[in-house]
Amino acid sequence: LADRLQNTIQRIKGKGKVTEQDVKEMTREVRLALLEADVNFKVVKQFINKIKERAVGQEIMESLTPGQQVIKVVKEELTNLMGGEQSKIAVADRPPTVIMMVGLQGAGKTTTTGKLANLLRKKQNRNPLLVAADIYRPAAINQLQTLGKQLNMPVFSLGTEVSPVEIANQAIEQAKAEHHDYVIIDTAGRLHVDSDLMEELTQIKENVKPDEIFLVVDAMTGQDAVNVAESFNEQLDITGVVLTKLDGDTRGGAALSIKAVTDTPIKFAGMGEKLTDLEAFHPERMASRILGMGDVLSLIEKAQENVDEKRAKELEEKMRSASFTFDDFLEQMGQVRNMGPLEDLLGMLPGANKMKGMKNLQIDEKQLSHVEAIIQSMTKKERVDPSIINASRKKRIAQGSGRNVAEVNRLLKQFNEMKKMMKQMTNMQKGKKGKGFKF
Ligand code: GDP
Ligand code: MG
């Protein structure tokens, strides 16, 4: 999924101007990619229409090239497609709240049961009871008991001879008696969806009336995960999905389709084998992952958040026309500060690390304050035209700012270099004309 999209994105990214034809091409690629990922045809169609509408009709934001703008729209719509962020877990009117974990064998049910219990305790100060209702393999019970020990949490088990329904019922009685506010039932899985399994799960469901039924699916299984989700949802009407093994190099097409097919939110993401490796599912991060360009996108976002776009444009113009002054420099420094370490920002720019003279831009916080002090000690005239700063002026500026002449010299040099760099960078970003990132 990611490959094709990325090619198109690469092509469109650097463009200063995006034509309707570009948008068409882009949406065609997106459409194919989604269809390839088995996303429901209607969903794809809706999605594409939305993108077209927004990308073509929209006023172009000043700090973004139209290419970036299209990508931004695609990303936002991908995010929407996967649903908002929904890591909330139901709370029963009368405790305990019952959560049933279902899914195929090896998907990560047992592990996620432990992770979820850990999260509930840590984030919400809850006191869950874990229930071993996978009676077909003794090892499954041991596995849950081991997790319980690690977490220092009780595990309810009646061995392998009592039916899962009975186990679940008794567990809930015990939870009430011992004032557990959550009960998490770890059920059995099979290698494939089969009717015996569904029958068993349905019985448990009807008996305990769980507040949540979480389907655990392995993200690595790709499109199979989608079919599995569809079957489980048909039979059990699941309330949420946990997507595991996202720490692997899976692409996440499954995430798109699962939400579209089941219309239930993906609530959590398994990010590793440890008990702490469970996170709220972030549709937005997943969209970035699918687009395969997280860094560029977060840079766009940062720039959007922190830079006054109009002003940035004016500054850029000034820089190019060489009328950029130390006053402007001061102002920009303020904006750069809001964005975080300059180094990080430059690191996000594709190709920026290949630029010569990068080192000179690695200004740290303390240095920034020194630089500010030096500039503030300059006269208005000097700030506008640094070329008049001769030796005696340098001495005065150094004294006024509490720095030394060498530092003043360095700043003057950096200032000139910065001007040069900015020019290079904007040229890189925009090709020959168009707009680029501003600092
Ligand atoms: P179950 O059969 O559904 O109960 O699956 P398990 O909980 O026993 O998990 C099967 C395997 O997947 C185990 O080796 C787990 O450590 C591993 N696993 C579960 N969740 C994750 C995850 O999010 N990331 C990784 N890397 N491994 C996971
Ligand atoms: Mg298990």
Side-chain angles (χ1 to χ4, degrees):
L1 172 63
D3 291 350
R4 302 188 69 127
L5 263 179
Q6 272 192 53
N7 285 341
T8 317
I9 286 165
Q10 282 305 331
R11 212 149 22 81
I12 216 164
K13 202 159 59 183
K15 287 203 173 187
K17 202 170 170 204
V18 172
T19 61
E20 219 173 305
Q21 185 59 35
D22 289 326
V23 174
K24 243 189 210 151
E25 224 173 276
M26 175 89 180
T27 48
R28 201 193 51 178
E29 289 302 325
V30 173
R31 188 173 149 271
L32 282 176
L34 293 181
L35 287 175
E36 247 171 48
D38 282 345
V39 178
N40 180 288
F41 177 74
K42 277 188 197 153
V43 178
V44 175
K45 204 167 152 191
Q46 266 177 9
F47 178 73
I48 295 300
N49 284 341
K50 247 190 222 154
I51 290 179
K52 275 190 186 151
E53 233 171 70
R54 290 191 52 192
V56 177
Q58 201 171 9
E59 213 179 294
I60 298 296
M61 226 183 284
E62 286 185 55
S63 73
L64 303 178
T65 67
Q68 289 161 352
Q69 188 80 358
V70 173
I71 291 162
K72 185 171 161 289
V73 168
V74 170
K75 190 195 153 198
E76 279 171 13
E77 291 301 332
L78 274 179
T79 305
N80 288 342
L81 192 57
M82 285 183 282
E85 207 163 292
Q86 307 188 46
S87 60
K88 283 224 166 56
I89 298 178
V91 183
D93 292 336
R94 270 186 301 153
T97 304
V98 178
I99 303 175
M100 194 174 153
M101 310 295 288
V102 301
L104 292 186
Q105 193 171 310
K109 288 180 299 301
T110 307
T111 313
T112 307
T113 300
K115 289 174 176 176
L116 202 57
N118 186 40
L119 208 65
L120 279 166
R121 180 170 62 189
K122 209 169 68 189
K123 291 263 154 97
Q124 297 184 36
N125 207 18
R126 302 291 186 176
N127 169 30
L129 178 65
L130 310 183
V131 184
D134 179 356
I135 59 168
Y136 303 101
R137 295 177 306 143
I141 300 176
N142 292 339
Q143 189 190 353
L144 192 64
Q145 279 168 338
T146 305
L147 292 175
K149 273 204 196 98
Q150 284 173 24
L151 290 165
N152 195 18
M153 267 184 208
V155 172
F156 184 92
S157 164
L158 294 175
T160 56
E161 299 301 317
V162 181
S163 79
V165 173
E166 188 55 31
I167 293 172
N169 281 334
Q170 289 198 31
I172 290 170
E173 287 315 307
Q174 176 158 334
K176 282 179 188 158
E178 294 177 355
H179 304 291
H180 290 283
D181 43 15
Y182 274 82
V183 171
I184 312 179
I185 305 173
D186 179 29
T187 67
R190 299 273 198 289
L191 287 175
H192 305 284
V193 176
D194 73 34
S195 52
D196 282 355
L197 174 66
M198 287 306 171
E199 179 58 34
E200 176 178 314
L201 296 175
T202 305
Q203 273 186 28
I204 300 177
K205 177 187 171 181
E206 280 170 2
N207 264 274
V208 307
K209 307 234 164 9
D211 302 282
E212 299 271 20
I213 302 179
F214 287 162
L215 172 67
V216 180
V217 286
D218 179 342
M220 308 277 278
T221 59
Q223 291 318 302
D224 278 346
V226 182
N227 301 330
V228 167
E230 198 169 16
S231 318
F232 272 85
N233 191 45
E234 262 169 28
Q235 307 275 334
L236 294 167
D237 201 10
I238 57 176
T239 62
V241 174
V242 180
L243 207 53
T244 62
K245 310 188 191 179
L246 277 171
D247 48 314
D249 60 357
T250 169
R251 281 161 179 186
L256 279 181
S257 324
I258 285 171
K259 172 66 171 68
V261 164
T262 63
D263 199 30
T264 35
I266 300 174
K267 296 202 167 192
F268 297 95
M271 302 300 294
E273 300 197 47
K274 291 199 301 293
L275 281 165
T276 46
D277 294 335
L278 188 72
E279 300 177 352
F281 177 77
H282 299 286
E284 201 221 310
R285 280 188 213 161
M286 184 55 82
S288 302
R289 179 171 181 156
I290 290 167
L291 290 171
M293 43 179 299
D295 284 355
V296 175
L297 288 166
S298 52
L299 180 60
I300 293 175
E301 272 151 24
K302 270 196 172 168
Q304 262 177 308
E305 275 166 26
N306 295 304
V307 178
D308 174 348
E309 284 140 22
K310 260 217 174 79
R311 187 67 194 126
K313 197 178 164 199
E314 284 165 24
L315 289 175
E316 194 202 84
E317 276 312 311
K318 280 187 148 181
M319 217 151 19
R320 277 198 294 176
S321 62
S323 65
F324 186 74
T325 69
F326 266 115
D327 279 320
D328 299 325
F329 188 47
L330 255 187
E331 188 184 329
Q332 276 213 319
M333 265 175 41
Q335 291 190 340
V336 166
R337 258 200 175 148
N338 291 338
M339 279 195 250
L342 192 54
E343 235 176 292
D344 289 0
L345 286 170
L346 288 173
M348 289 186 212
L349 281 178
N353 51 358
K354 292 189 210 101
M355 285 164 65
K356 263 202 249 146
M358 221 351 233
K359 287 246 151 43
N360 291 326
L361 278 175
Q362 297 182 351
I363 304 169
D364 65 27
E365 267 307 305
K366 212 156 105 207
Q367 269 178 306
L368 279 182
S369 319
H370 295 170
V371 165
E372 259 167 18
I374 293 173
I375 297 176
Q376 273 151 4
S377 297
M378 294 177 189
T379 65
K380 235 187 156 69
K381 246 186 170 161
E382 287 163 350
R383 290 186 208 184
V384 174
D385 183 9
S387 69
I388 64 169
I389 302 179
N390 56 20
S392 71
R393 283 178 189 260
K394 281 178 191 167
K395 218 166 173 182
R396 195 208 73 243
I397 292 168
Q399 265 169 1
S401 59
R403 314 306 318 164
N404 58 41
V405 174
E407 281 173 287
V408 177
N409 275 329
R410 201 180 316 139
L411 175 61
L412 289 171
K413 194 169 155 227
Q414 265 180 352
F415 181 70
N416 282 329
E417 243 164 69
M418 176 134 176
K419 266 171 134 174
K420 252 190 282 168
M421 292 292 288
M422 291 319 254
K423 215 183 229 164
Q424 263 185 44
M425 205 132 77
T426 41
N427 286 342
M428 259 178 73
Q429 281 300 307
K430 68 176 68 161
K432 272 145 255 143
K433 43 199 264 245
K435 307 164 193 119
F437 293 115
K438 333 286 192 311
F439 291 96

